[in-house]
Amino acid sequence: MRFQSPERGETEVRTIQIKGGRVVDPSQDIDQVADLWLGQGRVLAVGEGYDEAEVVIDARGLIICPGLIDLHVHLREPGNEEDETIATGAEAALAGGVTSLACMPNTIPALDSQGAAEFVILQAQRARKANVYPVGAVSKGRKGEELAELGQLVAGGAVAFTDDGAPVASASLMRHALEYAKMFDRVIMQHCQVPELTVGGVMNEGYESMRLGLPGMPAAAEDIMVARDIRLAEITGGRLHIQHISTARSVELVREGKRRGVLVTAEACPHHFTLTDDRLRTFDSNFKMNPPLRTWGDVEAVIGGLKDGTIEVLATDHAPHSPEKKMRELDLAPFGIVGLETLIPITVHGLIEPGHLSWPEVIRKLTINPAQLLKIPKGTLRPGADADVTLIDPEARWTIDPEKFRSKSRNTPYGGWEVRGRAHTVIVSGEVRYSLGGIIHHHQHKSPPPS
Ligand SMILES: [Zn+2]
Ligand SMILES: [Zn+2]
């Protein structure tokens, strides 16, 4: 195993002991103060002692959990490298505590071929930051007309399919996608929105949009497609994942679909459980996203869905846009915000501090749940698992400063927020790839065994 240390360069290390932290691993129902032992790029054990480790990380006061997984990230390579590259996005992920991410196919050209999927994986390996899993397009060129070569995409490493950036509007194409993806045991992720109902919209349709005189996007545009796709998942037996769920009715539809045994899952993004559409009164494009910020009733329903397990995954929908693009007038600015580097503190603010979810419940939605959904061997600290570990300082108080983001883009609505909780040290494949520092100790010499 290799260990990167700024003072000593890269050295071969046999074992790392992460000492005295609160180990939270929902995949094994572990929540206890203990040591975590890593060796040869793998998890060795939680708790019991090995010999003296070469590297000791003092994790007292920190949470030790499986590396976080964000299954909804937009990297902009190829096509818009000025907004983000695979390398900068993967570095921003680490700074946010994320060791594995799934990237969306709305690049230019679209991620709709085996070669495009392989390119993403290669670039991520070169960057040596977070693990990157490509999500292939459902349709060729994301045009919504004919199915992409799903089998070739799987061969290239695609872990799921979506046309995100846009919905699969055609019901028959969606039906075929669910049928084909089932053959590969992959999930179809859908940006649920009836396009005809949102043309020209910049924000949620309702009291605030009328007050501001801005074109709206009705909640029904999402509800209708969620209802349709749950029914299509039901008749095909395919797996459907609702991306960035944002309306109260959608949450209820997913809940009811699950009750009927439909293979439907859902994710929620931090902005959809912390912000509402009245923020658009500022005309700040950092509050413009798709799906849009909704009302308090919707926020409460999303939180309710997270609490009762209807929504099993937290994801960021990290959508970087350069300042030149995002600073246009509200109706011309692109949708979306960066999210990787604010994931932990905004989740603490929205879910943990108000008492909606506990740390283990939040960590479950960021580790084993997304891993199972994508069928990737991540999200656990079981012995033998990849040594991807996130150390979280749950009490760290800091101010979000977009100028300090590792992401190439700065488009966040949370700049200046005083928050609590952040990633402290992040380990991927047994390498410390990100750390705020101050807790890592090296043992040069092993003490002789007692005689
Ligand atoms: Zn989307
Ligand atoms: Zn997206």
Side-chain angles (χ1 to χ4, degrees), residues 40 75 213:
Q40 312 299 327
L75 304 175

Side-chain angles (χ1 to χ4, degrees), residues 213-439:
L214 290 169
M217 307 158 83
E222 178 172 318
D223 307 339
I224 291 165
M225 197 171 279
V226 168
R228 182 199 80 176
D229 288 350
I230 288 174
R231 193 75 182 95
L232 291 172
E234 187 168 25
I235 62 167
T236 58
R239 288 200 288 136
L240 170 69
H241 177 69
I242 311 293
Q243 299 181 297
H244 41 47
I245 197 164
S246 74
T247 73
R249 184 74 191 129
S250 294
V251 175
E252 187 48 41
L253 286 161
V254 172
R255 186 177 286 126
E256 191 255 353
K258 282 190 153 104
R259 216 176 280 146
R260 283 210 314 280
V262 181
L263 301 179
V264 58
T265 54
E267 78 196 22
C269 306
H271 46 275
H272 286 131
F273 55 77
T274 55
L275 301 172
T276 47
D277 59 353
D278 54 313
R279 297 271 178 173
L280 271 302
R281 291 177 191 176
T282 59
F283 290 93
D284 179 348
S285 66
N286 286 322
F287 296 105
K288 179 182 176 184
M289 46 281 267
N290 185 6
L293 300 177
R294 305 283 188 185
T295 66
W296 271 117
D298 297 302
V299 167
E300 282 172 358
V302 168
I303 291 170
L306 286 162
K307 287 175 79 161
D308 73 5
T310 300
I311 304 169
E312 51 275 273
V313 170
L314 292 169
T316 65
D317 196 7
H318 177 83
H321 296 289
S322 65
E324 303 82 73
K325 292 174 191 166
K326 198 65 179 174
M327 287 306 133
R328 288 178 203 150
E329 295 159 68
L330 196 59
D331 53 337
L332 297 175
F335 291 101
I337 60 168
V338 290
L340 286 164
E341 291 167 84
T342 53
L343 168 63
I344 291 173
I346 300 305
T347 299
V348 168
H349 170 82
L351 300 178
I352 292 180
E353 282 185 331
H356 298 310
L357 294 184
S358 65
W359 272 108
E361 287 165 337
V362 160
I363 289 168
R364 178 182 291 276
K365 292 180 196 295
L366 285 166
T367 56
I368 191 63
N369 284 3
Q372 287 177 343
L373 201 126
L374 298 176
K375 306 219 175 247
I376 58 174
K378 298 286 184 185
T380 178
L381 297 177
R382 283 186 191 282
D386 294 342
D388 294 357
V389 184
T390 298
L391 305 191
I392 296 169
D393 183 345
E395 298 303 328
R397 292 191 181 272
W398 58 294
T399 304
I400 294 171
D401 178 1
E403 293 308 314
K404 293 192 176 141
F405 283 169
R406 265 68 169 184
S407 169
K408 271 196 169 184
S409 291
R410 309 272 175 261
N411 50 312
T412 176
Y414 300 112
W417 279 40
E418 300 200 353
V419 291
R420 190 164 69 94
R422 75 187 302 180
H424 188 291
T425 294
V426 181
I427 298 169
V428 182
S429 301
E431 289 181 354
V432 176
R433 293 192 184 172
Y434 173 84
S435 185
L436 295 173
I439 58 169

Side-chain angles (χ1 to χ4, degrees), residues 72 74 104 106 162-167 190-193 243-244 267 290-291 317:
H72 193 150
H74 295 266
M104 296 298 114
N106 62 334
T162 182
D163 271 359
D164 185 49
Q190 173 78 310
H191 175 129
C192 287
Q193 198 164 60
Q243 299 181 297
H244 41 47
E267 78 196 22
N290 185 6
D317 196 7

